[in-house]
Amino acid sequence: MRVAVSLSLCWLWAAGLSLPRLRLSYRELLASNRSVLFFGHRGSLGLRCLYLDEYRDRLFLGGKDVLYSLLLDGATAGAKEIYWPPRPGQTEECLQKGKDPGTDCANYVRVLHPYNRTHLLACGTGAFHPMCTFVYVGHRGEHTFSLDAASVESGRGRCPHEPSRAFASTVIGGELYAGLTADFLGRDPGVFRSMGTRSALRTEVDQRLLHDPKFVAAHLIPDNDDRDNDKAYFFFTEKVVEADSREHAIVSRVGRVCVNDAGGQRVLVNKWSTFNKARLVCSVPGPDGIDTYFDELEDVFLLRTKDRKNPEIYALFSTVSHVFRGSAVCVYRMADIREVFNGPFAHRESPHHQWAAYEGRVPYPRPGVCPSKTTNQPRRQYGTTKDFPDEVLHFARAHPLMFQPVLPRHRRPLLVKTDLPQRLRQLVVDRVEAEDGQHDILFLGTDAGSVLKVVVTQKTNSAVTEEVILEELQVFKMPVPITQMEISVKRQMLYVGSSLGVAQVRLHQCESYGTACAECCLARDPYCAWDGTACTHYQPSGKRRQRRQDGRHANPAHQCLDQNLTVDDFESVEEKVLYGAEDNSTFLECVPRSPQASVQWFVQRPPDEQRDEVKTDERIVQTEQGLLFRRLHQHDAGTYYCKTLEHGFTQTVAKTALRVIPSQQLAHSSPRGPGDELPALLCPEPRLVPQAPKSWFKDIMHLVSSPNPRRVEEYCARLWCSSRPQHRKSKLAQAKLVLAGVDVAKKGRTGKAHSERNRVPRHAAAT
Ligand SMILES: *[C@@H]1O[C@H](CO)[C@@H](O)[C@H](O)[C@H]1NC(C)=O
Ligand SMILES: *[C@@H]1O[C@H](CO)[C@@H](O)[C@H](O)[C@H]1NC(C)=O
Ligand SMILES: *[C@@H]1O[C@H](CO)[C@@H](O)[C@H](O)[C@H]1NC(C)=O
Ligand SMILES: CC(=O)N[C@H]1CO[C@H](CO)[C@@H](O)[C@@H]1O
């Protein structure tokens, strides 16, 4: 099974909406209070792990030589810090081994798990000398945080040596299960179990078991109500070598071991005797029979349901070939995974043969089956893996791989993205109950410091899905890869980590979609619904009747019929006034709230009161951000309306009165020397714009790309300061704000938040 790209992918490039409905920049995200940055404004935390403790309402962070405990209940938010450097002498030793002092020779905390009622287990790289310890975090309600220095012990087989090598671990019953490379040179990969009272266990060093693995996730998933059947699952990638080639390919795997595995008695002593693995397939079927595989597992999210035994497994994959790059999300059911492990073992006579299903006799107890009441019968007493016959252990060692791959639900990805500029790294899923049923909302962390929020909707009666990118949130100022993401459904928050720091981001901010019913519906955000007066967070428990929202068929014409939205609303927005100089360029800004909307410009010129569509040509250009006049004519003066159209819903987004200042008039305005301080011309009223009286002036330079903006300003100042003293204050203030691109609407659809957001540059639409 080789990586192949079929032409059928073309439809994938073409289909799907690649632009988010709402894109919030770093600054806007902070300004809207949607995001709170715990760390990351400056310097680097060197963050490697994050543990969200919902019970204690605390967030624990592990970084470079440091551990943090943060309280999450808003007002009293505080942080406690533990400094935890490498042990004495280790930094020097690390340096002598030629490691980079800046990035390697520190203690990067890479394990942070709840251990028992009062303690966390923490392990760090210790400058290439891994170490573990317990951290006292106390009971709920107390904010204690201290490291038990006496408990520091070796972290070998528990924590990687390297700050960044792929690694996954989990604590089950006081024991640490870790998938990692356990030596200095990176040649000893394995699945390890340690801590607790039992003797440590690991995989043998054998490329049949694990070939250069990269571990992504580890989880306990019970099989049934018999705790003896509990299994630890590992998700990883490894190399495979095809029979007919020398090339390595990467495949994704799910592997598992029994929690009660105790190793063998004569064979496989202190080695796993129940380890099995299977391929995880995530591919796009092509009509020509050639599938495109996404083989690089990036992240795994377990969507826990009421049934603890059957979480839904969401896995994020990527593929980077020279033909194309893309990401996909596939969903796996535990029933399908178990079926593969209960199915045939893979077998090949030699590395030169092809894999086939093993058809010989499989010894009893079947390898991979945990010792339990079922195997411990009066005649066949297998109470522990140490009782298993050697034949079973030999078979297990020779046949770790299952023949069948695990296929995703509906045999296809839930989501495929081939058109994104960023690579997707992290995945978190929230299943929300909306008026029209359940929706899966995916939060995808990119390698550029941003998070995409995507809703995936199953079309009625088919496996075909449709997705909408609801939002793109720039959580970090720098384009750093997102490396951690946790969701708190209870708090309706997302915790997003990168090496720089951690941010808390609200899952939704419904107001930001707009103030009209149709905007709320078109947003198709299952978290939000129109409550009759505003777009607000939808809570299924609420019994309000007017709730309207339809994620499946966002058709505002049906949803919001009685909301007066399809009426001619030309006069519904506040008018802005913009001055432009004749013969120079000027720009009327208008960015639709949804990039999927199309824009139409209308103009109403004073003499005939008729509204005409603006005719664009070489001189008047319609851009994504608005209308650009390369060279302004006298007859361009008039009132310009920017209307957007989406799903039959039209809306006036901006109304601008454009006044053209004749060139002769400007030529007569008072001349000033080149070095002069800019305007001493503002009306002499100090309280007019108390702070930064000149800042608006800079903004206008972006809006009106006139080489001599001072003249525009002089004109305005003369106009408003010379006469009508009782009006000038407000009018001047208004003119300035307008010129600065700040909306002065007092009410209605163009609040300040929108106009600010609308000024965010957008990527060019896919054309
Ligand atoms: C954000 O929070 C600050 C402080 O709590 C508050 O002053 C500000 O008005 C808030 N901004 C928004 C947009 O809600
Ligand atoms: C938790 O584990 C630590 C470390 O082994 C131990 O010192 C502590 O007593 C344990 N606490 C409880 C409540 O079991
Ligand atoms: C719709 O508009 C009419 C007239 O403009 C007004 O009387 C009515 O109250 C509006 N309905 C709603 C639901 O806003
Ligand atoms: C009225 C005005 O500001 N006109 C200016 C337009 O731009 C040219 C240069 O491109 C200037 O020379 C004019 O003064």
Side-chain angles (χ1 to χ4, degrees):
M1 279 181 273
R2 303 183 62 100
V3 179
V5 178
S6 66
L7 287 176
S8 67
L9 262 175
C10 294
W11 69 264
L12 287 170
W13 272 301
L17 307 162
S18 60
L19 287 171
R21 298 201 51 95
L22 201 61
R23 177 174 282 158
L24 293 180
S25 71
Y26 171 75
R27 193 179 47 80
E28 290 166 320
L29 201 56
L30 289 185
S32 68
N33 288 349
R34 169 92 176 262
S35 167
V36 178
L37 213 55
F38 290 137
F39 294 94
H41 353 59
R42 69 201 141 82
S44 167
L45 182 62
L47 185 83
R48 289 298 183 277
C49 54
L50 181 157
Y51 165 53
L52 174 64
D53 188 335
E54 296 257 36
Y55 173 73
R56 292 187 181 82
D57 282 330
R58 282 158 79 179
L59 187 68
F60 297 101
L61 312 176
K64 182 181 176 182
D65 297 334
V66 72
L67 287 157
Y68 279 102
S69 164
L70 307 180
L71 284 178
L72 292 179
D73 41 344
T76 58
K80 291 208 169 172
E81 182 181 338
I82 296 174
Y83 175 58
W84 191 28
R87 279 173 289 190
Q90 297 304 347
T91 307
E92 293 73 15
E93 203 181 307
C94 177
L95 293 173
Q96 277 161 19
K97 285 174 182 162
K99 296 289 175 185
D100 183 338
T103 56
D104 294 334
C105 298
N107 182 36
Y108 287 90
V109 179
R110 302 209 58 189
V111 172
L112 207 48
H113 292 299
Y115 187 71
N116 60 22
R117 282 159 170 266
T118 51
H119 286 73
L120 302 184
L121 171 66
C123 304
T125 59
F128 277 78
H129 253 274
M131 54 182 178
C132 292
T133 191
F134 294 102
V135 180
Y136 180 65
V137 292
H139 296 276
R140 190 177 180 169
E142 45 177 309
H143 194 187
T144 46
F145 194 50
S146 62
L147 189 140
D148 181 0
S151 73
V152 176
E153 53 181 290
S154 166
R156 186 159 182 156
R158 298 170 182 174
C159 175
H161 288 60
E162 306 86 346
S164 302
R165 186 185 280 259
F167 161 69
S169 65
T170 186
V171 166
I172 303 170
E175 292 175 301
L176 178 73
Y177 291 69
L180 66 111
T181 304
D183 65 333
F184 184 82
L185 294 170
R187 290 183 192 154
D188 182 21
V191 168
F192 296 77
R193 186 180 70 199
S194 59
M195 323 278 305
T197 51
R198 294 188 282 181
S199 54
L201 223 55
R202 59 163 299 168
T203 38
E204 285 188 291
V205 181
D206 179 345
Q207 288 197 344
R208 285 180 299 180
L209 295 172
L210 294 167
H211 188 182
D212 210 352
K214 265 175 52 191
F215 288 92
V216 172
H219 294 284
L220 165 70
I221 305 175
D223 248 11
N224 46 39
D225 294 330
D226 184 356
R227 299 299 305 272
D228 276 340
N229 287 320
D230 283 2
K231 293 185 178 72
Y233 285 80
F234 286 84
F235 298 87
F236 57 100
T237 62
E238 68 172 343
K239 284 183 180 166
V240 291
V241 187
E242 300 295 326
D244 53 358
S245 93
R246 288 184 182 190
E247 279 175 48
H248 293 289
I250 301 289
V251 295
S252 294
R253 300 275 195 220
V254 53
R256 67 179 197 183
V257 290
C258 291
V259 167
N260 66 7
D261 195 332
Q265 189 66 37
R266 288 168 299 273
V267 185
L268 293 180
V269 180
N270 292 334
K271 304 284 181 335
W272 296 105
S273 61
T274 55
F275 177 78
N276 288 147
K277 63 180 181 180
R279 179 167 181 190
L280 270 184
V281 164
C282 185
S283 66
V284 179
D288 47 4
I290 302 171
D291 290 3
T292 300
Y293 287 89
F294 293 83
D295 280 320
E296 293 259 6
L297 186 62
E298 297 275 355
D299 195 21
V300 169
F301 180 81
L302 258 59
L303 186 69
R304 302 265 182 194
T305 58
K306 283 204 187 77
D307 180 3
R308 278 189 72 240
K309 303 180 286 285
N310 291 303
E312 284 180 51
I313 293 166
Y314 285 74
L316 171 65
F317 298 85
S318 67
T319 179
V320 186
S321 74
H322 53 280
V323 187
F324 90 118
R325 59 185 253 168
S327 302
V329 175
C330 278
V331 188
Y332 302 92
R333 288 182 305 202
M334 282 311 296
D336 294 335
I337 293 179
R338 293 190 181 108
E339 195 178 310
V340 167
F341 282 112
N342 290 336
F345 292 93
H347 177 81
R348 61 178 173 183
E349 291 302 321
S350 80
H352 305 292
H353 285 75
Q354 297 284 353
W355 287 104
Y358 180 77
E359 283 172 349
R361 191 188 70 89
V362 176
Y364 184 90
R366 184 188 151 95
V369 167
C370 308
S372 68
K373 285 191 270 307
T374 323
T375 59
N376 198 15
Q377 299 292 331
R379 286 222 227 119
R380 296 162 145 185
Q381 294 190 344
Y382 304 119
T384 144
T385 55
K386 287 190 195 283
D387 301 335
F388 284 5
D390 289 354
E391 185 198 6
V392 169
L393 304 180
H394 285 301
F395 187 93
R397 172 193 261 170
H399 297 93
L401 179 65
M402 308 314 299
F403 179 64
Q404 299 290 349
V406 180
L407 299 178
R409 201 173 68 191
H410 302 308
R411 301 190 158 231
R412 60 167 67 236
L414 179 69
L415 174 79
V416 176
K417 283 273 146 219
T418 55
D419 47 6
L420 293 175
Q422 322 90 338
R423 185 160 163 186
L424 302 177
R425 296 295 187 127
Q426 289 281 310
L427 166 69
V428 151
V429 182
D430 190 15
R431 183 161 288 174
V432 298
E433 209 62 57
E435 195 110 297
D436 62 333
Q438 265 182 357
H439 296 269
D440 283 353
I441 303 204
L442 276 51
F443 293 90
L444 296 155
T446 72
D447 62 359
S450 60
V451 171
L452 301 180
K453 173 173 156 187
V454 181
V455 58
V456 182
T457 305
Q458 204 93 29
K459 293 244 173 77
T460 330
N461 303 328
S462 91
V464 179
T465 56
E466 184 196 2
E467 86 257 2
V468 179
I469 302 185
L470 299 172
E471 300 185 285
E472 179 177 342
L473 311 172
Q474 187 65 40
V475 177
F476 294 100
K477 198 171 180 179
M478 302 295 186
V480 284
I482 304 288
T483 50
Q484 269 85 27
M485 228 155 68
E486 294 287 337
I487 187 171
S488 168
V489 173
K490 176 177 133 190
R491 313 179 75 91
Q492 296 283 292
M493 292 289 186
L494 196 65
Y495 296 91
V496 184
S498 73
S499 65
L500 293 181
V502 177
Q504 171 184 270
V505 182
R506 269 192 273 157
L507 300 182
H508 43 77
Q509 185 142 315
C510 300
E511 318 89 83
S512 56
Y513 289 120
T515 51
C517 174
E519 289 174 299
C520 194
C521 289
L522 280 173
R524 297 214 275 177
D525 187 332
Y527 286 120
C528 305
W530 183 254
D531 71 354
T533 51
C535 196
T536 52
H537 179 211
Y538 173 76
Q539 280 148 315
S541 48
K543 294 230 165 65
R544 302 182 66 171
R545 287 251 135 203
Q546 301 104 312
R547 293 273 176 190
R548 234 166 284 270
Q549 168 225 47
D550 190 341
R552 287 212 174 110
H553 334 87
N555 190 341
H558 297 150
Q559 295 299 309
C560 305
L561 215 50
D562 55 342
Q563 295 290 325
N564 285 355
L565 285 162
T566 45
V567 298
D568 179 359
D569 67 342
F570 275 105
E571 302 308 327
S572 65
V573 283
E574 205 80 10
E575 182 176 294
K576 299 180 194 178
V577 183
L578 185 70
Y579 292 91
E582 189 184 357
D583 290 335
N584 275 2
S585 63
T586 201
F587 186 69
L588 305 190
E589 188 185 34
C590 174
V591 182
R593 280 167 211 167
S594 161
Q596 282 133 35
S598 61
V599 173
Q600 260 183 316
W601 282 92
F602 292 89
V603 60
Q604 185 176 20
R605 293 194 185 85
D608 54 347
E609 290 288 304
Q610 195 160 333
R611 268 183 222 108
D612 299 318
E613 200 172 339
V614 173
K615 289 190 182 61
T616 53
D617 52 26
E618 296 203 327
R619 192 176 62 86
I620 305 177
V621 185
Q622 188 172 335
T623 74
E624 271 196 36
Q625 322 286 325
L627 201 59
L628 173 71
F629 293 81
R630 289 218 167 106
R631 189 186 169 88
L632 207 54
H633 289 176
Q634 287 273 13
H635 64 77
D636 289 328
T639 305
Y640 287 81
Y641 298 86
C642 169
K643 297 205 95 180
T644 61
L645 175 73
E646 184 180 12
H647 287 278
F649 164 57
T650 62
Q651 188 184 21
T652 302
V653 183
K655 179 180 174 189
T656 310
L658 176 64
R659 314 266 160 89
V660 180
I661 306 166
S663 37
Q664 306 100 306
Q665 204 169 331
L666 280 163
H668 292 298
S669 63
S670 58
R672 280 174 174 269
D676 277 5
E677 257 311 294
L678 277 167
L681 282 166
L682 299 177
C683 299
E685 285 180 44
R687 269 168 295 143
L688 202 57
V689 184
Q691 308 101 6
K694 276 179 274 179
S695 64
W696 64 277
F697 176 79
K698 293 189 184 112
D699 282 341
I700 187 183
M701 294 180 74
H702 297 293
L703 287 178
V704 184
S705 43
S706 159
N708 196 354
R710 183 198 293 159
R711 296 188 170 198
V712 180
E713 185 194 331
E714 283 172 354
Y715 178 89
C716 299
R718 235 181 319 119
L719 186 72
W720 298 108
C721 298
S722 56
S723 60
R724 295 182 299 176
Q726 65 270 49
H727 294 305
R728 70 191 183 194
K729 179 170 174 176
S730 64
K731 284 221 171 161
L732 178 56
Q734 183 156 330
K736 282 169 141 190
L737 289 170
V738 167
L739 288 164
V742 177
D743 210 315
V744 286
K746 286 160 202 82
K747 61 177 166 59
R749 302 184 178 157
T750 48
K752 184 165 183 273
H754 292 146
S755 77
E756 289 222 328
R757 167 159 43 76
N758 286 349
R759 293 168 62 205
V760 186
R762 281 159 202 265
H763 287 257
T767 44

